[in-house]
Amino acid sequence: MDLSTVSRENIEHMVEAIKEKLRMVNAGAVRAENFNTDMYEELRDIYEHVMKRETFSISEMQAITEELGTLIKK
């Protein structure tokens, strides 16, 4: 998948992959449609960070979730 292209499909892929990797308990709260394309680069940065790690502490997971929350369109 070419994530250099801004698209709804890529946003959906990244959000779903992040949720799966973090094993998010409340995954329904983070939905791809809540992210707009203006924040694509920031979302991709988070995605790349999450994908290169094997494990996360609770505080790291919380920080990532909070960062995702700042990207959600209001």
Side-chain angles (χ1 to χ4, degrees), residues 15-31 61-62 64-66 68-69:
V15 169
E16 292 304 316
I18 290 168
K19 290 186 327 189
E20 184 177 319
K21 183 89 176 210
L22 295 180
R23 296 183 185 117
M24 295 179 85
V25 175
N26 193 6
V30 179
R31 299 189 332 244
M61 290 173 60
Q62 183 177 9
I64 292 166
T65 303
E66 288 174 5
L68 286 171

Side-chain angles (χ1 to χ4, degrees), residues 47-61:
Y47 168 81
E48 289 172 352
H49 173 75
V50 169
M51 291 302 113
K52 69 181 174 186
R53 300 278 309 274
E54 288 299 317
T55 60
F56 300 91
S57 69
I58 301 260
S59 61
E60 288 172 321
M61 290 173 60

Side-chain angles (χ1 to χ4, degrees):
M1 177 165 272
D2 179 14
L3 296 178
S4 65
T5 304
V6 178
S7 71
R8 295 298 315 162
E9 182 180 88
N10 285 348
I11 290 173
E12 185 169 325
H13 168 77
M14 289 188 290
V15 169
E16 292 304 316
I18 290 168
K19 290 186 327 189
E20 184 177 319
K21 183 89 176 210
L22 295 180
R23 296 183 185 117
M24 295 179 85
V25 175
N26 193 6
V30 179
R31 299 189 332 244
E33 58 267 17
N34 292 339
F35 295 88
N36 65 37
T37 55
D38 293 342
M39 298 299 213
Y40 187 84
E41 290 303 317
E42 291 86 347
L43 179 60
R44 193 170 86 177
D45 289 344
I46 294 170
Y47 168 81
E48 289 172 352
H49 173 75
V50 169
M51 291 302 113
K52 69 181 174 186
R53 300 278 309 274
E54 288 299 317
T55 60
F56 300 91
S57 69
I58 301 260
S59 61
E60 288 172 321
M61 290 173 60
Q62 183 177 9
I64 292 166
T65 303
E66 288 174 5
E67 187 63 28
L68 286 171
T70 66
L71 301 181
I72 292 176
K73 60 185 174 186
K74 306 270 189 274

